[in-house]
Amino acid sequence: MTAVRPVQSTRVLVCDPDPALRRMMRAALARRGVLNMIEVEGLDAAFTASANCDAALICVPQGEEAIVARLRAAGLTGTLVVSLAQGSVAGAVAAMRAGADDVVLKPVKAEDVVERLLTAPGGRPERRRALREDRRPSPTAQNGDFYGFLGRSAPMLQLYERINRVAPSRAPVFVTGESGTGKELAASAVHARSPRHTAPFHALNCGAIPRELMESEIFGHARGAFTGAHADRAGAAELADGGTLFLDEIGEMDLALQSKLLRFLQDGKVRRIGEGHERQVDVRIVCATNRDPVAEVKAGRLREDLFYRLHVLNLHLPPLRERGDDVIRLAEAFLARFAGEEGRPLPRLTADVCAVLLRRQWRGNVRELQNLMRRAVVLSEGGVLSPALFAEDRMAVPVINAPEPAADAGVSLAEGCPSPSDDAAAKVEPLAVTERRAIEGAIAAFQGNIALAAAALDLSPSTLYRKKQSWEQGARREGSARAAGTHHMA
């Protein structure tokens, strides 16, 4: 049996009204070598104790998931696992959106929760402490690192200088750049370098949230405002009061909601859906898009008056292919990180591999490089990297269940392409079915751990929760339709 090494510096907060659970958590943490557990019963005490913790288990009452965002604003940067007494997919989605790393439903098993606290992707205590240090205001970039950015190329040094210049202002910032270049990281750096750095930074992806929910996400809603609104809920604008609100992919926002956002920018007042009164808030808006905003305005997808209201100060993030040797430095950093996470030998970048990396076009930018380095760590043998691992064609998306071409396949004269046989066509299934099977298989492989399944699929946990929610709603609608049809026939 391997001896457990005590980790004296790791601090874990457990907030739960059940003293028996707190005792079980203390024992389970001690068996993993974590001896410094802070035990509180109520949420008021949790707000005070959370800022100095590396990880936390917090019991959140149903309908009060906004507490998660308040805990983050209070300084909890460590791994946050939320336990729900009356679990629902909607509650789990709300907690994940508010900033939780994982959600568990009561009754919980102490050993399982401890595993999630200590191994959540991106949530290891030493990583969280490093993030806290990175967010402290610093007048200059040191050793090429700048609030999470890594790179010393001329375009990046110009970007750091630009961020330093625009950060102290109160004016909106418009960030442009290709997907995967780090637009949210730039917005976070603007916030960290601004006088608002001690207040909340709240981010919303306008392209990832259904349009019918987007207004509630930004402005909040009152209890009973619509089906499913079981409690009052503050929106992102309120949660970011005093700080910065980052709206990613602003061009995906519905035009009617763009009008309401423009009015909010003019008077600084929000009105929750279903309420008759307004609330005054003070937020700085940073928005981003991976498209040409001028072209979006001409196409009618982005209001011209909103664009000019937002496009006061601008930042443009350079694509990875224009950053020269930054590619190698980033690759080395990612290799070290993923080798540690996977428990594998640290692969070494040879001259041949470096040459291949420098020749790539990096259409997915830093995100593509990150995924490629993780793949290289997993597939490398004995820590040796082969240039073949990084060939462009190896990154092509595989076709799932693609039929083998028949030797005597006919050719359609109308289309000029092979006509599939009936057997081959039967093997093809809708993409949504393939996606669901892959997600459910990953969740089952990790014994229901959404966070680990999401990491394996290279998705965010909130995406998996939203998928599950949509599937459950679809199943309920089908059940209601079948019941109505049976009643009609009777």
Side-chain angles (χ1 to χ4, degrees):
M1 180 177 179
T2 305
V4 177
R5 179 177 65 84
V7 185
Q8 299 288 352
S9 61
T10 302
R11 299 176 299 277
V12 177
L13 170 65
V14 175
C15 173
D16 194 285
D18 184 359
L21 175 62
R22 299 199 300 268
R23 287 195 299 270
M24 289 188 292
M25 285 295 298
R26 185 177 294 278
L29 285 165
R31 286 192 289 272
R32 291 293 300 270
V34 179
L35 306 180
N36 191 354
M37 181 184 120
I38 302 169
E39 177 182 341
V40 298
E41 181 177 350
L43 288 168
D44 290 339
F47 284 114
T48 303
S50 61
N52 296 319
C53 293
D54 299 301
L57 169 67
I58 307 291
C59 177
V60 174
Q62 185 179 19
E64 299 185 27
E65 291 81 7
I67 289 172
V68 175
R70 291 173 55 197
L71 284 165
R72 289 299 193 195
L76 177 57
T77 57
T79 301
L80 175 56
V81 176
V82 168
S83 65
L84 300 176
Q86 297 177 339
S88 68
V89 173
V93 170
M96 296 295 292
R97 287 178 178 171
D101 292 303
D102 205 347
V103 176
V104 295
L105 305 182
K106 285 192 169 183
V108 303
K109 185 177 179 182
E111 295 289 351
D112 177 57
V113 175
V114 169
E115 181 68 21
R116 299 185 185 209
L117 285 169
L118 300 182
T119 63
R124 291 173 176 77
E126 61 274 13
R127 174 61 179 157
R128 293 290 184 176
R129 283 195 291 271
L131 286 176
R132 285 203 298 270
E133 295 297 324
D134 288 344
R135 289 172 183 163
R136 293 176 182 173
S138 172
T140 59
Q142 296 180 357
N143 299 323
D145 299 335
F146 187 85
Y147 296 98
F149 282 111
L150 192 66
R152 301 175 181 172
S153 62
M156 293 306 292
L157 294 178
Q158 292 171 6
L159 174 65
Y160 304 156
E161 177 61 26
R162 180 74 173 176
I163 290 174
N164 278 330
R165 296 187 65 177
V166 306
S169 172
R170 296 174 58 89
V173 179
F174 205 107
V175 185
T176 56
E178 297 177 7
S179 293
T181 51
K183 293 186 290 295
E184 183 171 348
L185 202 57
S188 179
V190 168
H191 173 75
R193 291 290 296 126
S194 76
R196 299 171 178 263
H197 68 270
T198 57
F201 172 83
H202 204 87
L204 281 180
N205 188 322
C206 302
I209 299 173
R211 293 193 172 190
E212 60 271 16
L213 299 178
M214 195 64 203
E215 183 176 356
S216 172
E217 288 293 325
I218 296 178
F219 300 119
H221 62 252
R223 180 178 180 180
F226 50 83
T227 303
H230 301 301
D232 292 345
R233 182 176 183 274
E238 286 184 69
L239 295 174
D241 190 17
T244 303
L245 174 61
F246 174 57
L247 299 175
D248 197 7
E249 301 308 332
I250 186 70
E252 300 293 333
M253 185 180 291
D254 184 75
L255 287 172
L257 185 54
Q258 289 183 30
S259 176
K260 295 182 180 180
L261 178 62
L262 178 63
R263 187 172 65 248
F264 165 63
L265 291 172
Q266 292 170 343
D267 58 24
K269 296 178 181 179
V270 299
R271 177 181 293 172
R272 296 182 183 179
I273 300 175
E275 281 190 348
H277 63 279
E278 296 178 325
R279 304 163 188 261
Q280 189 75 41
V281 297
D282 173 28
V283 297
R284 184 187 192 182
I285 300 292
V286 180
C287 64
T289 180
N290 61 0
R291 302 176 182 175
D292 178 358
V294 176
E296 293 297 291
V297 170
K298 292 180 178 179
R301 289 185 289 268
L302 181 62
R303 288 178 60 110
E304 185 176 14
D305 48 2
L306 178 62
F307 168 69
Y308 287 116
R309 187 80 185 190
L310 293 171
H311 200 272
V312 179
L313 302 171
N314 69 293
L315 293 173
H316 180 72
L317 274 68
L320 185 57
R321 59 184 171 273
E322 296 178 3
R323 293 176 53 183
D325 290 343
D326 282 354
V327 174
I328 305 305
R329 191 157 185 260
L330 283 164
E332 291 174 340
F334 288 142
L335 286 175
R337 169 184 164 188
F338 296 137
E341 291 182 2
E342 300 287 344
R344 298 176 67 92
L346 175 61
R348 186 173 62 87
L349 290 177
T350 63
D352 291 341
V353 170
C354 289
V356 172
L357 296 180
L358 291 172
R359 286 197 302 268
R360 286 181 68 95
Q361 290 301 305
W362 300 113
R363 297 176 182 85
N365 292 291
V366 177
R367 188 180 296 121
E368 179 185 349
L369 174 62
Q370 184 176 3
N371 293 342
L372 188 59
M373 290 303 106
R374 180 184 285 276
R375 180 180 303 185
V377 167
V378 174
L379 298 181
S380 64
E381 298 181 1
V384 178
L385 295 179
S386 168
L389 282 173
F390 307 103
E392 292 277 358
D393 57 355
R394 291 188 66 89
M395 294 297 292
V397 178
V399 179
I400 302 175
N401 290 338
E404 291 293 330
D408 57 348
V411 176
S412 169
L413 296 178
E415 301 294 336
C417 61
S419 300
S421 65
D422 291 340
D423 291 340
K427 296 179 181 179
V428 180
E429 62 183 9
L431 181 60
V433 175
T434 302
E435 178 189 59
R436 180 169 182 174
R437 187 172 63 250
I439 291 176
E440 290 179 339
I443 293 173
F446 288 97
Q447 292 78 47
N449 190 319
I450 297 292
L452 292 179
L457 293 169
D458 197 22
L459 296 172
S460 67
S462 59
T463 298
L464 266 61
Y465 279 113
R466 285 198 301 273
K467 293 289 185 183
K468 291 185 64 179
Q469 185 180 30
S470 67
W471 296 333
E472 291 177 5
Q473 290 173 345
R476 286 196 294 269
R477 286 195 296 269
E478 290 178 5
S480 300
R482 284 195 298 269
T486 303
H487 178 74
H488 179 74
M489 291 176 65

